[in-house]
Amino acid sequence: MDHLSKLENQSIYILREAQNKFDRLAMLWSIGKDSTVLLWLARKAFFGHVPFPLVHVDTTYKIPSMIEYRDRLCKEWNLKLVVGRNDEVLKSGVTYPGGKATRVECCGTLKKDALKQILDKHRFTGVIVGVRRDEEPTRAKERYFSPRDKNMEWNVDDQPPEFWDQFKTDFAPGAHVRIHPLLHWTELNVWEYIERENIPVIPLYFANGAGERYRSLGCHPCTSPIKSHARTVAEIIAELRLTKTPERSGRAQDKESEDAFEKLRRDGYM
Amino acid sequence: MPDQLKIVIVGHVDHGKSTLIGRLFHDTGALPEGKLEQLQKAADRRGAPFEWANLMDALQSERDQNITIDTAQIWFRTPARQYVIIDAPGHKEFLKNMITGAASAEAALLLIDAHEGIQENSRRHGYLLNLLGIRQIAVLVNKMDLENHRENRFRQIEAEFRQWLSSIGVVPKIFIPISARHGDNIAAKSPNMPWWQGPTVLEMLDEFNASESLDGLPLRFPIQDIYRFDHRRILAGRVESGVINVGDRLVFSPASKASTVKTIERWNAPVSDRAVAGESIGITLTEQIFVERGAIAALQTAPPYELTQFKARVFWLGRQPFLPGKKYKLKLATQEAQCQIESVDKVIDASSLEPVPGNCKERGVGRYEVGELTLRTRRPIAFDAAAEIPPTGRFVIVDGFDVSGGGIIADGNYPRRTHDSHHRSDNIYWSRGKVTPGQRETRNGHRGCVLWLTGLSGSGKSTIATELERELFNLGRHVYILDGDNMRHGLCSDLGFSHKDRTENIRRIGEVAKLFADAGVICITAFISPYLADRDLVRSILPADTFIEVYVNAPVSVCEQRDPKGLYAKARSGQIKNFTGVSAPYEPPLRPEIELHTDSSTAAECVASVLDFLACTVPPYRF
Ligand SMILES: Nc1nc2c(ncn2[C@@H]2O[C@H](COP(=O)(O)OP(=O)(O)O)[C@@H](O)[C@H]2O)c(=O)[nH]1
């Protein structure tokens, strides 16, 4: 079996475990390439169906074409979408674009808190998230099934053992579990899989006329494109094979302070 | 796609794991140009010696300066292939993390400090690698510079450790003398050890094999879930070993039901009538049988064991010890069963192989200890010996909410099949005051309910009822059939067959069924019960969701043809009056929970759909 098929089979196994073990399961869909690959894998696992709702945390600062793309796929793939938004904070204007919050604080309220609100509202106990170990160092410590306590906190230093594909599926009331079926993939694997499966990704990933493309997608005030001439999936793959620049280099919130991101992760950020 | 191999680096603290990782990273050219010199200069400025062990940390804190690096998973490549070092150990030793990382590795490097020699964790890690099923192990004798690169010292450690490893059945692939700090025998042969004729670490890595395929073993296809999509019933799972083909006759354990593979299901993938080990697929069957998550499909020629007891070696990670007399959850492939220790043979310290002090029957298996013991499960489970079929020969133990131990099943003279045996239960359960339905449910593992079969005489109620009872009983459920004749002879001996008496008869049966359900039993009734109002009355006296009306539907003509007791003939000739379907009405249910068509499906299919209903309707019928 080739390497991509191995990754795929493992992810399908994890998705099916999650579906079986959690009555209230949802998948986070950021519209980016990873969570779209994840969505594709869910359709693989469930024979063309997606048996759980997708949660999209809308900061209202997303690049507009992302929302169009989201709504199109929802219709074509028959998806159930739940949108979460921190209206209170948005109204108060205490955001980074509003000039009243740092980038990390803004992520904290518009993403993390909004997510917590929507998880609480729907009483989701399992949340599937498309993070990968190779994204940045804190994620490297993740497990496939990663418990969060009542306050969504992640105890990095005392994680459950995980071996032989027996995952943590028992947990105290009030806690929930993050499920990471893409944990063992790399950025390159994701693109290779997109190529193999012909998965429709949002065009923002491809170079525009000005020789720029997005490598990682987020809110427009905090995400900048990289210099690139890669216009096709194959060209992106060729580019990634050579690069030594980290994927999230275009994501400004990661850079605010060395520990800021790790802190945000511990507190329940995806 | 280039070949990839996952390796894990283990060994006692300070024996040089991080140093080796830094060195491998550098020596394979993964480090950006000029970076090393820069870091060395920075160390000089601080007046501290440059440490390879800090290389990864240093790179990480400088990752804003455009270096892709990751402390816990490191990729590097040789001309032959790419390597992933999983869960590279940090400065502190966390056995949980070591196990998590090592379990998914395809090969392991075990480091021993030439100066300090074999230490506690050298042995413990060696033991655990073996238990985890890692077969490709290389031992690197590090810090040879501290021993003046003497061959003697290397051979001495090799001999000692080789002997110890062989006592636990491990044959390492090779021992290599190295100096991680100075790069001796890492990427290039060491000029300091001309006596070493063997390979360097990188040469040796390229000789490791990717994890061997399990296609050649007997088929094990544990059912992960059952889906009903697009009018098909799909049994989803991953082929853990062997190969599965369309047309294969499968037996599902435990319970040994058989059916044949009709299709192999995949989505957006080339169609194939065959799936190999490692593939997550779905199958459909030619005959519908009842199967639930946890069942293991195998070929009839080589089924797994089905028992409630087996011998195992368990390594324990929990904060609380693994105690005899306490109940735990066992997870093996996709099966889950309550289990407890039946007996403890011995408890050993995995670093010395010495028995731990104390009476192991009382103290159980403590944290980081290994127990050789017999486990007993509450219901039969399907399994193999780990040495024969690894994926179905290993399990984890859950204590409360936490995976607290892992075990492998030892070879044993296990009989191939159990009979339908009652399991002796030595539950000691003290309740203050009234036993609640919740408590009963916890002990029984399911709730009580009434399966009310209704339909014409000859429609198949009794056949289905008895089959259902047997199936549920074999699944370990508490189940009982209320038999019509028994009721008529005893409790209802004063009643006749007038409409009024029939109504009273049903009412009494309903009340009795209610008591059974309340006692936590799955109570099956099989009465014609022709009147809607009577059945609704029973429904109304039972708690919500407890009354499951099963309409056993077959046309009168079919029932009359079957006429097993010759009753239709008698009714037609007027010998029996008020015969339902002939001279008395039958009022079909308006919204039965389940409707079975016995004229078009087999009894087994009908039973399967009732069991499906019970198993798949998420709470309240979590059986
Ligand atoms: N002399 C010598 N010291 C070494 C060698 N390899 C590692 N060390 C030192 O041993 C210490 C512990 O190494 P480290 O890699 O942190 O060990 P770990 O705990 O196994 O990761 C460090 O001070 C290293 O510099 C070696 O080959 N020779």
Side-chain angles (χ1 to χ4, degrees):
Chain A
M1 197 184 301
D2 63 68
H3 187 60
L4 278 184
S5 301
K6 275 189 201 160
L7 299 178
E8 176 192 57
N9 279 303
Q10 176 72 359
S11 299
I12 292 174
Y13 187 81
I14 293 164
L15 283 164
R16 288 177 176 167
E17 283 300 285
Q19 165 70 6
N20 182 274
K21 287 295 177 184
F22 295 93
D23 288 338
R24 308 202 63 85
L25 183 68
M27 179 187 276
L28 289 195
W29 186 28
S30 72
I31 327 296
K33 64 183 191 315
D34 301 304
S35 54
T36 304
V37 161
L38 195 53
L39 186 53
W40 187 265
L41 286 164
R43 300 174 83 210
K44 285 247 175 187
F46 308 110
F47 305 97
H49 301 259
V50 180
F52 33 70
L54 303 177
V55 170
H56 180 225
V57 177
D58 189 1
T59 60
T60 72
Y61 293 111
K62 296 276 167 181
I63 303 166
S65 64
M66 291 172 72
I67 304 298
E68 286 158 31
Y69 167 86
R70 176 192 81 187
D71 294 342
R72 182 169 63 79
L73 280 199
C74 274
K75 222 191 266 150
E76 282 176 17
W77 292 358
N78 193 20
L79 309 171
K80 193 167 163 251
L81 186 74
V82 189
V83 177
R85 199 166 53 201
N86 194 339
D87 286 320
E88 207 182 306
V89 167
L90 283 168
K91 220 177 286 158
S92 73
V94 186
T95 61
Y96 174 73
K100 294 188 199 155
T102 66
R103 287 189 156 110
V104 170
E105 282 163 2
C106 187
C107 275
T109 53
L110 291 189
K111 290 191 190 165
K112 190 196 80 182
D113 293 348
L115 175 65
K116 173 142 175 54
Q117 284 165 14
I118 193 138
L119 296 187
D120 288 348
K121 182 170 160 215
H122 293 267
R123 291 181 292 118
F124 289 126
T125 49
V127 186
I128 304 169
V129 190
V131 305
R132 303 187 324 267
R133 284 217 176 95
D134 76 328
E135 273 179 86
E136 36 92 20
T138 51
R139 292 189 175 180
K141 299 169 194 155
E142 273 289 7
R143 299 287 200 252
Y144 286 123
F145 282 61
S146 178
R148 296 291 189 277
D149 68 11
K150 281 197 198 72
N151 307 315
M152 291 213 311
E153 271 171 31
W154 180 38
N155 190 349
V156 195
D157 300 324
D158 187 20
Q159 297 207 70
E162 192 168 76
F163 51 99
W164 298 337
D165 285 343
Q166 295 291 0
F167 307 113
K168 178 160 172 87
T169 50
D170 303 275
F171 54 97
H176 79 267
V177 173
R178 296 278 175 89
I179 299 132
H180 302 130
L182 285 185
L183 205 55
H184 53 299
W185 295 53
T186 64
E187 185 187 12
L188 185 57
N189 296 150
V190 167
W191 282 108
E192 285 165 337
Y193 191 68
I194 287 170
E195 183 179 48
R196 186 184 98 172
E197 296 284 317
N198 208 359
I199 302 171
V201 291
I202 184 159
L204 290 168
Y205 284 113
F206 302 113
N208 58 15
E212 284 184 334
R213 69 177 195 91
Y214 286 91
R215 191 162 159 203
S216 173
L217 291 178
C219 300
H220 59 77
C222 296
T223 310
S224 44
I226 57 160
K227 294 251 167 298
S228 165
H229 293 286
R231 292 164 169 279
T232 62
V233 175
E235 285 170 17
I236 289 177
I237 292 171
E239 180 184 286
L240 286 175
R241 289 216 167 108
L242 295 175
T243 188
K244 284 191 173 178
T245 311
E247 178 178 8
R248 294 179 64 97
S249 57
R251 301 290 287 274
Q253 72 268 37
D254 295 24
K255 294 183 182 160
E256 281 214 334
S257 94
E258 209 169 279
D259 303 326
F261 208 69
E262 169 134 10
K263 169 87 181 54
L264 207 56
R265 290 276 297 154
R266 281 180 196 264
D267 291 348
Y269 180 73
M270 43 287 184
Chain B
M1 187 65 214
D3 211 5
Q4 196 189 60
L5 194 82
K6 288 191 250 177
I7 59 175
V8 66
I9 300 182
V10 299
H12 200 76
V13 67
D14 279 346
H15 282 199
K17 298 181 293 293
S18 316
T19 306
L20 177 66
I21 290 166
R23 195 79 222 194
L24 282 171
F25 197 69
H26 169 262
D27 288 4
T28 52
L31 205 57
E33 233 166 277
K35 198 74 222 167
L36 183 66
E37 293 70 25
Q38 190 187 330
L39 290 172
Q40 276 166 336
K41 270 195 205 116
D44 283 348
R45 271 201 304 279
R46 283 195 309 269
F50 171 76
E51 275 282 357
W52 286 99
N54 296 340
L55 180 71
M56 294 299 147
D57 292 349
L59 290 180
Q60 180 196 324
S61 61
E62 296 185 20
R63 64 189 224 290
D64 289 348
Q65 296 171 22
N66 290 353
I67 297 157
T68 317
I69 187 66
D70 168 333
T71 43
Q73 262 200 28
I74 293 153
W75 280 261
F76 66 87
R77 57 167 39 263
T78 66
R81 64 180 157 205
Q82 189 182 40
Y83 290 90
V84 185
I85 304 180
I86 344 167
D87 207 18
H91 296 292
K92 273 194 214 128
E93 288 282 358
F94 285 123
L95 213 54
K96 271 194 308 185
N97 294 345
M98 178 266 172
I99 284 170
T100 301
S104 64
E106 295 165 290
L109 304 180
L110 196 157
L111 263 74
I112 297 179
D113 184 325
H115 186 66
E116 252 186 57
I118 300 159
Q119 295 294 313
E120 186 182 320
N121 272 325
S122 322
R123 285 187 291 249
R124 182 176 283 127
H125 287 179
Y127 188 93
L128 288 174
L129 287 175
N130 185 40
L131 208 64
L132 287 167
I134 313 299
R135 295 285 170 264
Q136 305 189 85
I137 301 175
V139 182
L140 307 182
V141 179
N142 187 30
K143 306 195 192 179
M144 283 301 292
D145 53 308
L146 296 183
E147 292 289 324
N148 295 323
H149 304 105
R150 278 185 304 129
E151 180 171 9
N152 246 353
R153 177 63 180 154
F154 171 71
R155 296 294 172 203
Q156 189 189 356
I157 290 176
E158 175 180 8
E160 191 186 333
F161 203 54
R162 202 182 269 285
Q163 194 193 0
W164 190 83
L165 286 176
S166 82
S167 72
I168 57 169
V170 174
V171 182
K173 199 172 151 84
I174 194 170
F175 281 71
I176 305 181
I178 65 164
S179 170
R181 183 193 270 174
H182 305 287
D184 294 67
N185 289 336
I186 307 296
K189 280 222 181 336
S190 164
N192 300 316
M193 291 177 265
W195 49 267
W196 176 248
Q197 300 300 315
T200 62
V201 173
L202 286 183
E203 284 167 353
M204 182 271 312
L205 281 176
D206 284 346
E207 271 170 43
F208 275 143
N209 300 315
S211 61
E212 52 197 294
S213 146
L214 301 182
D215 294 358
L217 296 176
L219 171 68
R220 294 293 180 262
F221 179 59
I223 305 304
Q224 219 180 342
D225 216 334
I226 316 261
Y227 303 131
R228 262 166 235 77
F229 288 131
D230 314 312
H231 309 294
R232 280 172 316 158
R233 186 163 173 275
I234 301 175
L235 278 54
R238 180 169 65 189
V239 182
E240 296 292 349
S241 63
V243 178
I244 191 167
N245 292 290
V246 167
D248 279 348
R249 187 74 181 158
L250 300 180
V251 54
F252 294 81
S253 307
S256 314
K257 260 162 294 182
S259 190
T260 303
V261 182
K262 185 171 162 195
T263 58
I264 291 180
E265 302 283 332
R266 299 175 176 91
W267 184 80
N268 199 53
V271 179
S272 162
D273 282 352
R274 176 186 154 89
V276 300
E279 280 191 76
S280 287
I281 50 154
I283 60 170
T284 63
L285 299 175
T286 52
E287 309 108 274
Q288 294 313 318
I289 52 167
F290 173 70
V291 178
E292 58 182 348
R293 176 184 162 94
I296 296 181
L299 296 183
Q300 275 179 321
T301 45
Y305 300 109
E306 285 176 35
L307 292 167
T308 54
Q309 278 199 10
F310 53 80
K311 282 183 168 296
R313 263 195 297 158
V314 172
F315 62 91
W316 196 248
L317 299 166
R319 289 202 177 85
Q320 305 300 323
F322 186 31
L323 290 172
K326 188 175 161 186
K327 297 197 168 54
Y328 297 90
K329 179 155 85 183
L330 174 137
K331 293 199 198 180
L332 188 157
T334 55
Q335 297 174 99
E336 290 183 9
Q338 196 187 77
C339 77
Q340 66 185 68
I341 296 177
E342 175 75 12
S343 61
V344 186
D345 294 336
K346 63 177 173 183
V347 179
I348 58 169
D349 176 336
S351 67
S352 63
L353 301 187
E354 293 296 325
V356 297
N359 178 348
C360 54
K361 291 192 178 62
E362 281 158 25
R363 66 186 288 288
V365 187
R367 195 173 205 192
Y368 304 153
E369 292 170 356
V370 175
E372 294 181 8
L373 38 83
T374 301
L375 281 179
R376 180 157 57 86
T377 52
R378 195 163 165 276
R379 58 175 187 83
I381 59 159
F383 65 87
D384 291 287
E388 286 162 15
I389 307 181
T392 43
R394 55 199 182 198
F395 58 88
V396 299
I397 303 282
V398 181
D399 182 8
F401 301 123
D402 302 317
V403 171
S404 300
I408 58 171
I409 298 178
D411 300 324
N413 273 328
Y414 304 117
R416 269 293 163 189
R417 188 131 307 164
T418 42
H419 342 259
D420 303 345
S421 65
H422 235 126
H423 309 299
R424 150 176 86 81
S425 163
D426 31 19
N427 271 307
I428 304 166
Y429 193 91
W430 297 104
S431 168
R432 292 168 193 281
K434 200 173 181 313
V435 178
T436 67
Q439 287 170 331
R440 279 184 219 285
E441 196 177 317
T442 312
R443 175 173 309 172
N444 291 346
H446 62 82
R447 337 179 324 147
C449 66
V450 176
L451 284 169
W452 189 279
L453 276 54
T454 170
L456 296 170
S457 175
S459 60
K461 297 184 298 297
S462 307
T463 312
I464 291 169
T466 40
E467 270 301 296
L468 256 179
E469 184 186 40
R470 189 179 66 89
E471 291 286 342
L472 285 165
F473 183 80
N474 287 344
L475 288 167
R477 320 297 195 238
H478 299 260
V479 56
Y480 187 72
I481 299 184
L482 281 189
D483 178 87
D485 287 344
N486 291 348
M487 298 294 287
R488 284 270 177 194
H489 286 139
L491 184 64
C492 302
S493 58
D494 57 325
L495 299 177
F497 290 89
S498 66
H499 189 152
K500 197 172 139 238
D501 278 4
R502 281 183 181 230
T503 298
E504 175 59 12
N505 187 40
I506 295 299
R507 189 192 69 80
R508 289 186 196 174
I509 292 163
E511 289 291 348
V512 174
K514 179 184 170 181
L515 294 177
F516 271 90
D518 191 45
V521 174
I522 301 170
C523 180
I524 305 174
T525 68
F527 300 92
I528 299 175
S529 47
Y531 302 114
L532 263 176
D534 293 354
R535 296 191 304 262
D536 282 349
L537 176 84
V538 179
R539 185 186 287 273
S540 72
I541 61 173
L542 282 158
D545 295 328
T546 307
F547 183 78
I548 302 165
E549 194 172 21
V550 183
Y551 179 22
V552 184
N553 188 355
V556 185
S557 54
V558 173
C559 297
E560 193 161 356
Q561 227 170 355
R562 292 178 184 156
D563 203 10
K565 299 176 204 155
L567 295 175
Y568 281 91
K570 287 187 183 163
R572 290 284 177 209
S573 66
Q575 278 170 274
I576 305 178
K577 297 209 164 42
N578 291 338
F579 191 76
T580 306
V582 176
S583 43
Y586 178 80
E587 300 171 359
L590 300 178
R591 270 186 299 277
E593 274 74 12
I594 304 169
E595 181 167 352
L596 307 173
H597 294 274
T598 59
D599 52 331
S600 54
S601 349
T602 65
E605 283 169 348
C606 292
V607 169
S609 46
V610 177
L611 293 173
D612 253 3
F613 177 88
L614 293 178
C616 299
T617 318
V618 267
Y621 307 114
R622 266 260 196 238
F623 285 89

